[in-house]
Amino acid sequence: MTHLLVRAARGERTDRPPVWLMRQAGRHIPEYREIRAEYSFREAIETPDVAKRITLLPWDLYEPDGLVMFSDILTVLEPLGFDYHIESGVGPVVENPVEGPDDAERPRGDVADDLSFVGDLLTKLVDEVGDETAIIGFAGGPFTLASYAVAGGASRNHGPVRRFRARHPEAFRTLLSAFADVVRDYLEYQAANGADVVQLFDTYAGVLSPADYREFVLPLHREILDGLSVPSIVFVRNMGGRLDQLDAVGADVVSLDWTVDMGDARAELGDRPVQGNLDPQYLFGEQSFVREKTREVIDAAGPRGHILNLGHGVHRDTPVESVRAFVETAKSVER
Ligand code: CP3
């Protein structure tokens, strides 16, 4: 049986849109917070049984059409010799960031060795729910990873990595391609271990000028996704007004943030399947509002090649009931 989500990713007409949420397995779920009281973030993602339990939390609550493996984009830092952790209240911290152009040349670990816990997790998920729902793998994109690697953590407007690009363009290129090589292997490794679909999160690459995106990042996005053995989704925020650049990536599906009008995107992207794009903050409205706005996205996207999702990750304080209303709205469509 081909999962509904995979069929939509291939551009097929579906009786209703498949639905999942970015960051669905996280802090908005009370049980997640209980599990995190017992394990550090890295323990949770690197222990397959714990990561599996967390991945399945949204399954128990909502039965979405896809389960995104519980992990993080930062896992690939390790094969490239970066140490990191997640500090509560601060976010990701890279302990040995890139300080100068010489740090852009990276040692190159083996994904299947260094990240074997991800393969184990995917195998367990496929065994448990692989017949019922699509298993979604993912990786960070080279620019977003480079932003953390250069700044050592979150940074305002990604100033440090943009400054690095200005001062050391060749080292910037070298660093991005080191990430791209690992990410390409990593996504194929996920597919080999049972991911039905993979999403490339280069969330922050939209802060680059169109010319820099075209020169430094677009060719790497193409390389990463070209010839992958499962359907792919590309997500970059703030690309409204230059959807042609996202289209050129060649992913099976373009994921849209909420600043893009779904109807306009459809007109611009032609037959390219799309994912999205409800404003995550809309889930803080009344349930009737959530249903109405969700329905508007579904109607604007039409019956062919649409995966319902938010325009970015679900916010940590989002009411479970609102997420349920969002998922149920997709499930109640009949066409
Ligand atoms: O979508 C899912 O449910 C699957 C898991 C997932 C996480 N992070 C879990 C997580 C995915 C797909 C990500 C992607 C991710 N991680 C991105 C790209 C997409 C996006 O949403 O922008 C980025 C930039 C990261 C880096 C990262 N990791 C950030 C910014 C944070 C949050 C830091 C903070 O404290 O706010 C993390 C940690 C993280 N990754 C958490 C979760 C559930 C929170 C950990 C916790 O505090 O328990």
Side-chain angles (χ1 to χ4, degrees):
M1 184 201 68
T2 307
H3 292 296
L4 190 66
L5 192 139
V6 173
R7 291 179 40 219
R10 288 181 184 152
E12 290 178 28
R13 185 194 157 94
T14 54
D15 293 340
R16 66 167 180 86
V19 56
W20 69 286
L21 294 85
M22 292 184 247
R23 294 268 172 107
Q24 67 189 15
R27 287 178 292 201
H28 85 283
I29 302 179
E31 221 178 318
Y32 172 80
R33 298 196 291 265
E34 285 167 27
I35 298 172
R36 279 283 282 103
E38 282 176 67
Y39 303 94
S40 73
F41 185 72
R42 286 199 59 171
E43 278 166 354
I45 62 173
E46 293 176 12
T47 311
D49 281 321
V50 176
K52 175 183 138 188
R53 244 173 93 201
I54 297 175
T55 304
L56 292 172
L57 294 175
W59 179 247
D60 296 338
L61 288 171
Y62 319 117
E63 297 200 0
D65 297 293
L67 283 184
V68 56
M69 63 175 190
F70 181 71
S71 191
D72 199 79
I73 63 163
L74 301 175
T75 51
V76 299
L77 290 176
E78 197 178 349
L80 291 173
F82 294 105
D83 299 318
Y84 75 97
H85 63 273
I86 304 285
E87 207 162 300
S88 63
V90 176
V93 176
V94 179
E95 289 147 35
N96 52 343
V98 170
E99 284 176 341
D102 294 346
D103 296 334
E105 292 282 355
R106 304 304 306 178
R108 178 64 200 285
D110 183 73
V111 162
D113 286 343
D114 290 346
L115 304 177
S116 63
F117 51 87
V118 173
D120 292 347
L121 168 62
L122 287 166
T123 309
K124 284 172 189 282
L125 290 171
V126 171
D127 284 351
E128 182 103 8
V129 287
D131 291 341
E132 293 166 272
T133 191
I135 305 300
I136 304 168
F138 68 88
F143 181 79
T144 300
L145 292 164
S147 173
Y148 284 108
V150 171
S155 57
R156 207 162 167 217
N157 297 325
H158 310 281
V161 71
R162 288 159 59 209
R163 207 167 301 161
F164 192 78
R165 177 261 174 269
R167 288 198 184 139
H168 311 294
E170 281 319 307
F172 179 63
R173 198 186 298 281
T174 303
L175 183 65
L176 292 178
S177 48
F179 278 120
D181 284 352
V182 170
V183 164
R184 150 110 227 165
D185 284 0
Y186 185 41
L187 290 178
E188 199 50 66
Y189 171 74
Q190 292 174 24
N193 281 280
D196 295 296
V197 176
V198 293
Q199 177 155 328
L200 182 67
F201 282 94
D202 216 347
T203 310
Y204 305 142
V207 303
L208 287 172
S209 70
D212 276 357
Y213 177 77
R214 187 180 305 110
E215 178 183 347
F216 291 95
V217 179
L218 175 60
L220 298 177
H221 284 175
R222 292 183 62 87
E223 243 173 76
I224 290 167
L225 299 180
D226 184 40
L228 262 193
S229 57
V230 294
S232 60
I233 305 170
V234 65
F235 177 65
V236 182
R237 275 181 60 183
N238 297 316
M239 291 294 275
R242 44 184 166 140
L243 288 181
D244 55 322
Q245 290 197 316
L246 268 190
D247 191 44
V249 169
D252 294 279
V253 182
V254 168
S255 194
L256 303 166
D257 73 17
W258 67 92
T259 67
V260 179
D261 179 81
M262 180 58 85
D264 293 348
R266 278 303 209 190
E268 216 172 313
L269 293 168
D271 291 338
R272 176 84 63 196
V274 293
Q275 173 175 274
N277 72 338
L278 193 79
D279 182 345
Q281 301 290 358
Y282 276 9
L283 297 187
F284 289 87
E286 298 286 338
Q287 273 191 45
S288 55
F289 174 81
V290 172
R291 289 177 196 277
E292 180 194 325
K293 290 295 171 191
T294 303
R295 188 67 212 211
E296 281 175 20
V297 169
I298 294 170
D299 290 343
R304 209 172 277 284
H306 174 226
I307 299 168
L308 180 66
N309 205 317
L310 302 177
H312 192 194
V314 61
H315 192 276
R316 65 165 94 177
D317 301 317
T318 305
V320 163
E321 284 315 312
S322 293
V323 176
R324 190 169 281 131
F326 176 73
V327 173
E328 279 175 2
T329 303
K331 291 197 168 185
S332 65
V333 169
E334 286 174 41
R335 54 194 176 200

